[in-house]
Amino acid sequence: MSGTKSGGHADDPFQEGGGSLLRQPMAVWATAGASVVAFMGIGLVDPILPSIARGLHASNSQVSLLFTSYFLITAFAMLVTGFVSSRIGGRKTLLAGLALVVVFAALSGMSGSVGELVGFRAGWGLGNALFVSTSLAVIVGAAAGGSAAAILLYESALGLGMACGPLLGAILGDLKWRYPFFGTAVLMAVGFIAITAFLKEQPRPARKTSLLDPLRALGHGGLASAAVAAFFYNYAFFTVLAFTPFVLDMSPYSSGGVFFAWGVLLAVFSVLVAPRLQHRFGSLKVLGGSLLLLAADLLVLGYGDHTTAVVCTVLSGAFIGLNNTVFTELALGVSDAPRPVASAGYNFVRWFAAAAAPFLAPKIEEWTDLHVPFVVAAAAAVAGAGIVAVRRRALTIEAAETAPRHAAQDGVSAFAN
Protein backbone atom coordinates (compact mmCIF):
# COMPACT_ATOMS: atom_id res chain seq x y z
CA MET A 1 0.00 0.00 0.00
CA SER A 2 2.86 2.35 0.67
CA GLY A 3 3.72 2.29 -2.97
CA THR A 4 0.20 2.61 -4.30
CA LYS A 5 -2.08 5.58 -4.49
CA SER A 6 -5.28 5.87 -2.59
CA GLY A 7 -8.44 5.84 -4.61
CA GLY A 8 -10.84 5.91 -1.71
CA HIS A 9 -11.89 9.52 -2.19
CA ALA A 10 -11.27 9.98 -5.84
CA ASP A 11 -14.91 10.34 -6.82
CA ASP A 12 -16.60 13.71 -6.53
CA PRO A 13 -18.95 13.26 -3.58
CA PHE A 14 -20.85 16.38 -4.43
CA GLN A 15 -22.05 15.16 -7.81
CA GLU A 16 -21.78 11.36 -7.76
CA GLY A 17 -24.62 9.80 -9.65
CA GLY A 18 -26.12 13.22 -10.35
CA GLY A 19 -26.87 13.86 -6.69
CA SER A 20 -25.80 16.64 -4.40
CA LEU A 21 -24.34 16.44 -0.91
CA LEU A 22 -26.82 19.01 0.37
CA ARG A 23 -29.91 17.61 -1.36
CA GLN A 24 -30.74 14.79 1.00
CA PRO A 25 -33.96 13.31 2.37
CA MET A 26 -35.06 14.35 5.83
CA ALA A 27 -34.19 10.85 7.11
CA VAL A 28 -30.55 11.49 6.24
CA TRP A 29 -30.47 14.89 7.94
CA ALA A 30 -32.19 13.49 11.03
CA THR A 31 -29.62 10.69 11.33
CA ALA A 32 -26.68 12.99 10.56
CA GLY A 33 -27.87 15.51 13.14
CA ALA A 34 -28.15 12.83 15.80
CA SER A 35 -24.68 11.64 14.78
CA VAL A 36 -23.24 15.08 15.47
CA VAL A 37 -24.66 14.96 18.99
CA ALA A 38 -23.42 11.39 19.49
CA PHE A 39 -19.87 12.43 18.62
CA MET A 40 -20.21 15.53 20.78
CA GLY A 41 -20.73 13.24 23.76
CA ILE A 42 -17.15 11.93 23.50
CA GLY A 43 -15.41 15.23 24.18
CA LEU A 44 -18.25 16.86 26.07
CA VAL A 45 -16.71 16.29 29.49
CA ASP A 46 -13.22 17.51 28.51
CA PRO A 47 -13.56 21.16 29.59
CA ILE A 48 -15.44 20.29 32.79
CA LEU A 49 -13.23 17.48 34.15
CA PRO A 50 -11.62 19.77 36.75
CA SER A 51 -15.07 21.19 37.65
CA ILE A 52 -16.47 17.67 38.11
CA ALA A 53 -13.51 16.75 40.29
CA ARG A 54 -14.15 19.77 42.52
CA GLY A 55 -17.93 19.33 42.55
CA LEU A 56 -17.79 15.66 43.52
CA HIS A 57 -14.64 15.93 45.68
CA ALA A 58 -12.86 13.41 43.47
CA SER A 59 -9.26 12.95 42.35
CA ASN A 60 -8.11 13.38 38.76
CA SER A 61 -7.75 9.63 38.30
CA GLN A 62 -11.26 9.04 39.66
CA VAL A 63 -12.80 11.59 37.29
CA SER A 64 -10.85 10.13 34.37
CA LEU A 65 -12.83 6.94 34.89
CA LEU A 66 -15.62 8.75 33.04
CA PHE A 67 -13.69 7.91 29.87
CA THR A 68 -12.57 4.49 31.09
CA SER A 69 -16.05 3.18 31.83
CA TYR A 70 -17.42 4.72 28.61
CA PHE A 71 -14.84 3.11 26.32
CA LEU A 72 -14.55 -0.18 28.19
CA ILE A 73 -18.25 -0.76 27.57
CA THR A 74 -17.80 0.48 24.00
CA ALA A 75 -15.08 -2.14 23.43
CA PHE A 76 -17.28 -5.02 24.52
CA ALA A 77 -20.28 -3.53 22.73
CA MET A 78 -18.40 -3.90 19.44
CA LEU A 79 -19.03 -7.65 19.74
CA VAL A 80 -22.74 -7.03 20.20
CA THR A 81 -23.76 -4.23 17.83
CA GLY A 82 -23.55 -6.30 14.65
CA PHE A 83 -25.35 -9.16 16.36
CA VAL A 84 -28.18 -6.81 17.36
CA SER A 85 -28.53 -4.76 14.17
CA SER A 86 -28.50 -7.85 11.92
CA ARG A 87 -31.50 -9.16 13.84
CA ILE A 88 -33.70 -6.16 14.66
CA GLY A 89 -32.68 -3.80 11.82
CA GLY A 90 -30.85 -0.49 11.64
CA ARG A 91 -33.74 1.80 12.61
CA LYS A 92 -34.55 -0.06 15.82
CA THR A 93 -30.87 -0.28 16.71
CA LEU A 94 -30.48 3.49 16.26
CA LEU A 95 -33.54 4.20 18.41
CA ALA A 96 -32.38 1.79 21.12
CA GLY A 97 -29.00 3.49 21.23
CA LEU A 98 -30.52 6.97 21.35
CA ALA A 99 -32.92 5.96 24.12
CA LEU A 100 -30.04 4.62 26.23
CA VAL A 101 -28.04 7.82 25.73
CA VAL A 102 -31.01 10.00 26.72
CA VAL A 103 -31.59 8.01 29.92
CA PHE A 104 -27.96 7.70 31.00
CA ALA A 105 -26.96 11.25 30.05
CA ALA A 106 -29.81 12.55 32.20
CA LEU A 107 -28.83 10.24 35.05
CA SER A 108 -25.22 11.43 34.72
CA GLY A 109 -26.38 14.98 35.34
CA MET A 110 -28.13 13.87 38.52
CA SER A 111 -25.16 11.92 39.93
CA GLY A 112 -24.42 12.40 43.58
CA SER A 113 -20.98 10.77 43.54
CA VAL A 114 -18.19 10.08 41.12
CA GLY A 115 -19.00 6.35 41.34
CA GLU A 116 -22.55 6.96 40.15
CA LEU A 117 -21.33 9.20 37.34
CA VAL A 118 -18.80 6.60 36.17
CA GLY A 119 -21.53 3.95 36.14
CA PHE A 120 -23.96 6.10 34.19
CA ARG A 121 -21.25 6.94 31.65
CA ALA A 122 -20.86 3.21 31.05
CA GLY A 123 -24.55 2.97 30.13
CA TRP A 124 -24.08 6.01 27.93
CA GLY A 125 -21.20 4.22 26.17
CA LEU A 126 -23.40 1.24 25.35
CA GLY A 127 -26.05 3.50 23.83
CA ASN A 128 -23.51 5.46 21.83
CA ALA A 129 -21.91 2.26 20.52
CA LEU A 130 -25.27 0.96 19.26
CA PHE A 131 -26.03 4.26 17.57
CA VAL A 132 -22.64 5.11 16.08
CA SER A 133 -21.92 1.62 14.78
CA THR A 134 -25.18 1.67 12.79
CA SER A 135 -25.65 5.28 11.71
CA LEU A 136 -23.40 5.27 8.61
CA ALA A 137 -25.18 2.24 7.17
CA VAL A 138 -28.50 3.99 7.70
CA ILE A 139 -27.27 7.25 6.15
CA VAL A 140 -25.95 5.43 3.08
CA GLY A 141 -29.15 3.45 2.68
CA ALA A 142 -31.28 6.60 2.70
CA ALA A 143 -28.90 9.08 1.03
CA ALA A 144 -29.10 10.57 -2.45
CA GLY A 145 -25.92 11.09 -4.45
CA GLY A 146 -24.16 7.80 -3.90
CA SER A 147 -21.93 6.35 -1.21
CA ALA A 148 -19.13 8.92 -1.51
CA ALA A 149 -21.51 11.78 -0.73
CA ALA A 150 -22.97 9.84 2.18
CA ILE A 151 -19.53 9.06 3.64
CA LEU A 152 -18.46 12.69 3.34
CA LEU A 153 -21.65 13.80 5.06
CA TYR A 154 -21.03 11.30 7.85
CA GLU A 155 -17.37 12.26 8.27
CA SER A 156 -18.44 15.91 8.39
CA ALA A 157 -20.87 15.05 11.18
CA LEU A 158 -18.04 13.28 13.00
CA GLY A 159 -15.73 16.29 12.73
CA LEU A 160 -18.43 18.77 13.69
CA GLY A 161 -19.37 16.68 16.72
CA MET A 162 -15.77 16.22 17.89
CA ALA A 163 -15.17 19.97 17.55
CA CYS A 164 -18.42 21.18 19.10
CA GLY A 165 -18.56 18.71 22.01
CA PRO A 166 -15.93 20.54 24.08
CA LEU A 167 -17.50 23.88 23.14
CA LEU A 168 -20.95 22.82 24.34
CA GLY A 169 -19.38 21.36 27.46
CA ALA A 170 -17.65 24.68 28.12
CA ILE A 171 -20.71 26.88 27.57
CA LEU A 172 -23.06 24.80 29.71
CA GLY A 173 -20.39 23.64 32.14
CA ASP A 174 -19.40 27.19 32.96
CA LEU A 175 -22.85 27.56 34.52
CA LYS A 176 -22.82 24.20 36.30
CA TRP A 177 -20.97 20.97 35.57
CA ARG A 178 -24.25 19.03 35.44
CA TYR A 179 -25.78 21.06 32.58
CA PRO A 180 -23.79 19.53 29.68
CA PHE A 181 -25.22 16.12 30.55
CA PHE A 182 -28.78 17.43 30.61
CA GLY A 183 -28.14 19.32 27.36
CA THR A 184 -26.98 16.13 25.65
CA ALA A 185 -30.05 14.25 26.88
CA VAL A 186 -32.33 16.92 25.41
CA LEU A 187 -30.53 16.99 22.05
CA MET A 188 -30.56 13.21 21.75
CA ALA A 189 -34.26 13.16 22.62
CA VAL A 190 -34.82 15.54 19.71
CA GLY A 191 -32.80 13.16 17.52
CA PHE A 192 -34.92 10.23 18.70
CA ILE A 193 -38.10 12.06 17.71
CA ALA A 194 -36.67 13.09 14.33
CA ILE A 195 -35.55 9.57 13.44
CA THR A 196 -38.88 8.14 14.59
CA ALA A 197 -40.69 10.59 12.33
CA PHE A 198 -38.51 10.56 9.20
CA LEU A 199 -36.58 7.29 8.99
CA LYS A 200 -38.19 4.13 7.62
CA GLU A 201 -36.83 0.68 8.41
CA GLN A 202 -34.23 -0.54 5.92
CA PRO A 203 -33.59 -4.08 4.69
CA ARG A 204 -31.72 -6.29 7.14
CA PRO A 205 -28.43 -8.01 6.17
CA ALA A 206 -28.81 -11.32 4.36
CA ARG A 207 -26.55 -13.00 6.93
CA LYS A 208 -26.86 -12.60 10.68
CA THR A 209 -23.68 -11.82 12.60
CA SER A 210 -22.69 -14.05 15.50
CA LEU A 211 -20.99 -12.83 18.68
CA LEU A 212 -17.81 -14.76 17.88
CA ASP A 213 -17.39 -13.60 14.26
CA PRO A 214 -15.36 -10.47 15.17
CA LEU A 215 -12.96 -12.52 17.31
CA ARG A 216 -12.50 -15.07 14.52
CA ALA A 217 -11.68 -12.23 12.11
CA LEU A 218 -8.69 -11.29 14.28
CA GLY A 219 -7.06 -14.54 13.21
CA HIS A 220 -6.02 -12.69 10.05
CA GLY A 221 -2.46 -11.40 10.49
CA GLY A 222 -3.02 -8.09 8.75
CA LEU A 223 -6.15 -7.22 10.71
CA ALA A 224 -4.53 -8.27 14.00
CA SER A 225 -1.51 -6.08 13.19
CA ALA A 226 -3.72 -3.09 12.40
CA ALA A 227 -5.66 -3.63 15.64
CA VAL A 228 -2.54 -3.83 17.81
CA ALA A 229 -0.97 -0.79 16.15
CA ALA A 230 -4.24 1.11 16.66
CA PHE A 231 -4.26 -0.01 20.31
CA PHE A 232 -0.97 1.81 20.94
CA TYR A 233 -2.09 4.80 18.90
CA ASN A 234 -5.34 5.06 20.84
CA TYR A 235 -3.41 5.14 24.10
CA ALA A 236 -1.62 8.25 22.86
CA PHE A 237 -4.84 9.74 21.45
CA PHE A 238 -6.78 9.42 24.68
CA THR A 239 -3.94 10.63 26.83
CA VAL A 240 -4.39 13.90 24.96
CA LEU A 241 -8.16 13.87 25.20
CA ALA A 242 -8.59 12.79 28.82
CA PHE A 243 -5.42 13.87 30.65
CA THR A 244 -4.45 17.16 29.02
CA PRO A 245 -7.39 19.14 30.51
CA PHE A 246 -5.89 18.57 33.97
CA VAL A 247 -2.48 19.73 32.75
CA LEU A 248 -3.83 22.87 31.09
CA ASP A 249 -5.92 23.64 34.20
CA MET A 250 -7.96 26.31 32.42
CA SER A 251 -11.50 27.62 32.84
CA PRO A 252 -14.22 25.64 31.04
CA TYR A 253 -14.46 28.35 28.36
CA SER A 254 -10.71 28.42 27.72
CA SER A 255 -10.37 24.64 27.74
CA GLY A 256 -13.42 24.35 25.47
CA GLY A 257 -11.82 26.77 23.02
CA VAL A 258 -8.59 24.78 22.95
CA PHE A 259 -10.38 21.51 22.25
CA PHE A 260 -12.68 23.15 19.73
CA ALA A 261 -9.60 24.18 17.75
CA TRP A 262 -8.24 20.66 18.27
CA GLY A 263 -11.46 19.18 16.88
CA VAL A 264 -11.46 21.48 13.87
CA LEU A 265 -7.94 20.37 12.94
CA LEU A 266 -8.94 16.74 13.49
CA ALA A 267 -11.90 17.14 11.12
CA VAL A 268 -9.97 19.04 8.43
CA PHE A 269 -7.04 16.61 8.37
CA SER A 270 -9.28 13.56 8.50
CA VAL A 271 -11.68 14.58 5.74
CA LEU A 272 -9.60 16.84 3.48
CA VAL A 273 -5.86 16.41 4.06
CA ALA A 274 -5.44 12.68 4.68
CA PRO A 275 -6.80 11.50 1.29
CA ARG A 276 -4.47 13.90 -0.55
CA LEU A 277 -1.41 12.79 1.41
CA GLN A 278 -2.33 9.14 0.88
CA HIS A 279 -2.68 9.72 -2.84
CA ARG A 280 0.78 11.28 -2.97
CA PHE A 281 2.81 9.20 -0.51
CA GLY A 282 0.83 6.01 0.15
CA SER A 283 -1.11 5.10 3.27
CA LEU A 284 1.60 3.35 5.29
CA LYS A 285 4.10 6.17 4.89
CA VAL A 286 1.47 8.69 5.96
CA LEU A 287 0.51 6.55 8.94
CA GLY A 288 4.06 5.89 10.12
CA GLY A 289 5.09 9.52 9.72
CA SER A 290 1.99 10.82 11.46
CA LEU A 291 2.48 8.49 14.43
CA LEU A 292 6.07 9.65 14.85
CA LEU A 293 5.03 13.31 14.59
CA LEU A 294 2.35 12.69 17.21
CA ALA A 295 5.00 11.18 19.50
CA ALA A 296 7.24 14.25 19.06
CA ASP A 297 4.28 16.55 19.68
CA LEU A 298 3.45 14.73 22.93
CA LEU A 299 7.00 15.04 24.21
CA VAL A 300 7.04 18.79 23.55
CA LEU A 301 3.58 19.08 25.15
CA GLY A 302 4.78 17.30 28.27
CA TYR A 303 7.95 19.33 28.75
CA GLY A 304 6.93 22.72 27.38
CA ASP A 305 5.48 25.71 29.20
CA HIS A 306 1.76 26.40 29.36
CA THR A 307 1.56 28.20 26.01
CA THR A 308 3.53 25.41 24.34
CA ALA A 309 1.19 22.83 25.87
CA VAL A 310 -1.84 24.66 24.45
CA VAL A 311 -0.29 24.85 20.97
CA CYS A 312 0.76 21.19 21.00
CA THR A 313 -2.67 20.08 22.21
CA VAL A 314 -4.31 21.83 19.27
CA LEU A 315 -1.67 20.59 16.83
CA SER A 316 -2.18 16.98 17.93
CA GLY A 317 -5.62 17.15 16.34
CA ALA A 318 -3.98 17.22 12.90
CA PHE A 319 -1.99 14.02 13.51
CA ILE A 320 -4.95 12.30 15.14
CA GLY A 321 -7.12 13.15 12.13
CA LEU A 322 -4.57 11.62 9.75
CA ASN A 323 -4.21 8.49 11.85
CA ASN A 324 -7.96 8.01 12.20
CA THR A 325 -8.49 8.04 8.44
CA VAL A 326 -5.66 5.66 7.56
CA PHE A 327 -6.42 3.21 10.35
CA THR A 328 -10.04 3.17 9.12
CA GLU A 329 -8.93 2.08 5.69
CA LEU A 330 -6.58 -0.56 7.04
CA ALA A 331 -9.23 -2.10 9.27
CA LEU A 332 -11.80 -2.18 6.47
CA GLY A 333 -9.63 -3.51 3.67
CA VAL A 334 -6.69 -5.47 4.99
CA SER A 335 -8.54 -8.77 5.50
CA ASP A 336 -11.11 -10.76 3.56
CA ALA A 337 -13.60 -10.75 6.45
CA PRO A 338 -16.90 -8.89 5.91
CA ARG A 339 -16.19 -5.30 6.74
CA PRO A 340 -18.65 -4.95 9.64
CA VAL A 341 -17.13 -8.06 11.21
CA ALA A 342 -13.55 -6.90 10.65
CA SER A 343 -14.45 -3.50 12.08
CA ALA A 344 -15.97 -5.03 15.20
CA GLY A 345 -12.92 -7.21 15.89
CA TYR A 346 -10.53 -4.33 15.29
CA ASN A 347 -12.47 -2.01 17.56
CA PHE A 348 -12.75 -4.63 20.28
CA VAL A 349 -8.95 -4.49 20.57
CA ARG A 350 -8.26 -0.80 20.12
CA TRP A 351 -10.95 0.59 22.44
CA PHE A 352 -9.29 -1.10 25.41
CA ALA A 353 -6.48 1.46 25.06
CA ALA A 354 -9.06 4.26 25.06
CA ALA A 355 -10.33 2.82 28.34
CA ALA A 356 -6.85 2.38 29.84
CA ALA A 357 -5.20 5.72 29.01
CA PRO A 358 -7.61 8.03 30.89
CA PHE A 359 -7.09 6.01 34.08
CA LEU A 360 -3.37 5.25 33.77
CA ALA A 361 -2.18 8.73 32.77
CA PRO A 362 -3.19 10.47 36.03
CA LYS A 363 -2.04 7.44 38.01
CA ILE A 364 1.37 7.63 36.36
CA GLU A 365 1.49 11.32 37.27
CA GLU A 366 0.72 10.44 40.90
CA TRP A 367 3.48 7.82 40.92
CA THR A 368 6.07 9.98 39.11
CA ASP A 369 5.55 13.52 37.85
CA LEU A 370 3.62 15.53 35.26
CA HIS A 371 5.98 14.76 32.36
CA VAL A 372 6.04 10.96 32.45
CA PRO A 373 2.45 10.33 31.23
CA PHE A 374 3.33 12.12 28.00
CA VAL A 375 6.57 10.16 27.66
CA VAL A 376 4.56 6.92 27.99
CA ALA A 377 2.01 8.18 25.44
CA ALA A 378 4.79 9.16 23.03
CA ALA A 379 6.37 5.71 23.45
CA ALA A 380 3.00 4.15 22.65
CA ALA A 381 2.77 6.16 19.41
CA VAL A 382 6.30 5.08 18.48
CA ALA A 383 5.34 1.45 19.22
CA GLY A 384 2.40 1.83 16.84
CA ALA A 385 4.70 3.18 14.13
CA GLY A 386 7.10 0.29 14.76
CA ILE A 387 4.34 -2.27 14.27
CA VAL A 388 3.33 -0.59 11.02
CA ALA A 389 6.95 -0.75 9.81
CA VAL A 390 7.62 -4.34 10.89
CA ARG A 391 4.27 -5.65 9.65
CA ARG A 392 4.31 -3.63 6.43
CA ARG A 393 3.96 -6.68 4.22
CA ALA A 394 0.91 -7.96 6.12
CA LEU A 395 -0.67 -4.51 6.05
CA THR A 396 -0.05 -3.87 2.35
CA ILE A 397 -3.07 -4.79 0.27
CA GLU A 398 -4.74 -2.96 -2.54
CA ALA A 399 -8.19 -3.44 -1.01
CA ALA A 400 -7.18 -1.24 1.91
CA GLU A 401 -6.77 1.67 -0.46
CA THR A 402 -10.30 1.42 -1.81
CA ALA A 403 -12.03 0.47 1.44
CA PRO A 404 -13.74 3.84 2.02
CA ARG A 405 -15.54 3.52 -1.28
CA HIS A 406 -16.98 0.16 -0.29
CA ALA A 407 -17.31 0.58 3.47
CA ALA A 408 -20.72 2.17 3.28
CA GLN A 409 -22.07 -0.74 1.26
CA ASP A 410 -21.25 -3.00 4.21
CA GLY A 411 -22.63 -0.63 6.81
CA VAL A 412 -19.43 0.19 8.70
CA SER A 413 -19.13 3.31 10.83
CA ALA A 414 -16.20 5.56 9.99
CA PHE A 415 -15.93 6.64 13.60
CA ALA A 416 -15.98 3.06 14.84
CA ASN A 417 -12.70 2.66 12.98
Side-chain angles (χ1 to χ4, degrees), residues 58-199:
S59 67
N60 291 351
S61 58
Q62 287 176 317
V63 173
S64 293
L65 288 172
L66 295 177
F67 285 100
T68 297
S69 63
Y70 183 96
F71 286 111
L72 189 61
I73 294 300
T74 298
F76 283 106
M78 286 300 121
L79 302 179
V80 177
T81 53
F83 177 88
V84 172
S85 63
S86 66
R87 284 162 173 77
I88 68 173
R91 182 176 181 271
K92 291 179 181 177
T93 304
L94 287 182
L95 292 175
L98 286 170
L100 286 172
V101 172
V102 170
V103 170
F104 284 105
L107 290 173
S108 295
M110 295 185 284
S111 300
S113 69
V114 68
E116 288 183 6
L117 184 53
V118 168
F120 293 143
R121 276 283 285 182
W124 187 340
L126 174 60
N128 224 42
L130 289 171
F131 177 84
V132 168
S133 65
T134 310
S135 54
L136 178 59
V138 172
I139 287 176
V140 170
S147 62
I151 291 173
L152 181 57
L153 183 64
Y154 185 84
E155 290 180 344
S156 299
L158 186 160
L160 184 61
M162 291 294 285
C164 291
L167 204 58
L168 177 66
I171 293 171
L172 297 179
D174 191 57
L175 301 172
K176 195 171 186 178
W177 69 262
R178 299 179 186 273
Y179 290 169
F181 298 109
F182 294 137
T184 300
V186 171
L187 290 174
M188 287 304 246
V190 172
F192 184 96
I193 294 170
I195 288 176
T196 301
F198 296 112
L199 180 64

Side-chain angles (χ1 to χ4, degrees), residues 249-276:
D249 194 23
M250 304 167 77
S251 69
Y253 270 120
S254 298
S255 183
V258 169
F259 279 95
F260 173 74
W262 169 87
V264 169
L265 273 187
L266 187 155
V268 169
F269 274 74
S270 177
V271 177
L272 301 178
V273 178
R276 289 167 172 78

Side-chain angles (χ1 to χ4, degrees), residues 9 15 29 43 49 57 77 82 97 112 128 161 180 266 327 356:
H9 295 267
Q15 297 297 334
W29 289 117
L49 286 175
H57 307 290
N128 224 42
L266 187 155
F327 270 121

Side-chain angles (χ1 to χ4, degrees), residues 172-402:
L172 297 179
D174 191 57
L175 301 172
K176 195 171 186 178
W177 69 262
R178 299 179 186 273
Y179 290 169
F181 298 109
F182 294 137
T184 300
V186 171
L187 290 174
M188 287 304 246
V190 172
F192 184 96
I193 294 170
I195 288 176
T196 301
F198 296 112
L199 180 64
K200 298 179 180 179
E201 186 58 84
Q202 296 178 310
R204 300 178 189 180
R207 178 182 177 276
K208 293 180 180 179
T209 302
S210 79
L211 293 175
L212 294 180
D213 282 349
L215 297 178
R216 295 191 184 101
L218 290 171
H220 186 278
L223 181 61
S225 299
V228 175
F231 174 91
F232 287 107
Y233 155 63
N234 264 33
Y235 186 93
F237 176 0
F238 284 93
T239 296
V240 174
L241 190 62
F243 180 65
T244 304
F246 297 115
V247 176
L248 298 181
D249 194 23
M250 304 167 77
S251 69
Y253 270 120
S254 298
S255 183
V258 169
F259 279 95
F260 173 74
W262 169 87
V264 169
L265 273 187
L266 187 155
V268 169
F269 274 74
S270 177
V271 177
L272 301 178
V273 178
R276 289 167 172 78
L277 291 179
Q278 289 174 271
H279 181 75
R280 182 170 181 178
F281 299 108
S283 294
L284 292 187
K285 288 182 179 178
V286 172
L287 182 59
S290 183
L291 285 169
L292 293 177
L293 288 172
L294 177 61
D297 181 80
L298 287 169
L299 288 176
V300 176
L301 193 164
Y303 284 92
D305 58 20
H306 189 269
T307 300
T308 301
V310 170
V311 172
C312 288
T313 299
V314 174
L315 184 60
S316 70
F319 307 128
I320 289 170
L322 292 175
N323 291 327
N324 283 351
T325 294
V326 182
F327 270 121
T328 295
E329 297 186 13
L330 286 177
L332 296 184
V334 76
S335 76
D336 55 359
R339 290 183 173 94
V341 173
S343 171
Y346 161 82
N347 281 291
F348 176 71
V349 174
R350 71 146 180 159
W351 283 126
F352 280 109
F359 176 73
L360 289 178
K363 280 296 185 183
I364 291 172
E365 180 198 10
E366 293 174 8
W367 298 331
T368 55
D369 59 41
L370 185 65
H371 310 300
V372 177
F374 293 103
V375 175
V376 174
V382 171
I387 292 171
V388 171
V390 171
R391 298 289 294 168
R392 177 176 297 272
R393 183 178 297 275
L395 292 170
T396 300
I397 183 168
E398 184 178 355
E401 296 290 358
T402 58

